[in-house]
Amino acid sequence: MNVGMLWFDNDPHTELSKKVARAAAFYQTKYGQTPNLCFVHPSMVKENPLKAGSIELRSSRAVLPNHFWLGVNAGAG
């Protein structure tokens, strides 16, 4: 993924998978394509790799906590 959408969600009462789903729904509406990859800060995931529905989650220290970098992994089969 070279290009993506950055999403912020710091709601402490919502689980990670629901936050990713909200971000993915907005991405779908805005770009007309469903994201399949999301980068999050390592503090947000307990294991790597992880899935949120059909979206692969990967951790990256380049992404700040409570931020989600979503996009399409062109290499995904």
Side-chain angles (χ1 to χ4, degrees):
M1 178 173 80
N2 295 322
V3 178
M5 178 190 82
L6 188 63
W7 180 266
F8 176 77
D9 189 336
N10 67 344
D11 181 354
H13 305 292
T14 303
E15 61 186 50
L16 180 63
S17 61
K18 290 189 182 194
K19 291 179 182 186
V20 173
R22 281 194 287 214
F26 183 85
Y27 186 100
Q28 168 69 36
T29 300
K30 183 168 180 139
Y31 299 106
Q33 190 172 16
T34 303
N36 62 5
L37 180 60
C38 180
F39 287 93
V40 297
H41 189 268
S43 68
M44 297 174 66
V45 294
K46 293 182 174 44
E47 59 186 63
N48 198 23
L50 187 68
K51 284 244 182 205
S54 63
I55 301 172
E56 178 185 357
L57 294 180
R58 294 187 193 168
S59 64
S60 173
R61 293 204 180 278
V63 179
L64 294 172
N66 299 315
H67 288 76
F68 303 83
W69 184 30
L70 291 105
V72 175
N73 182 2

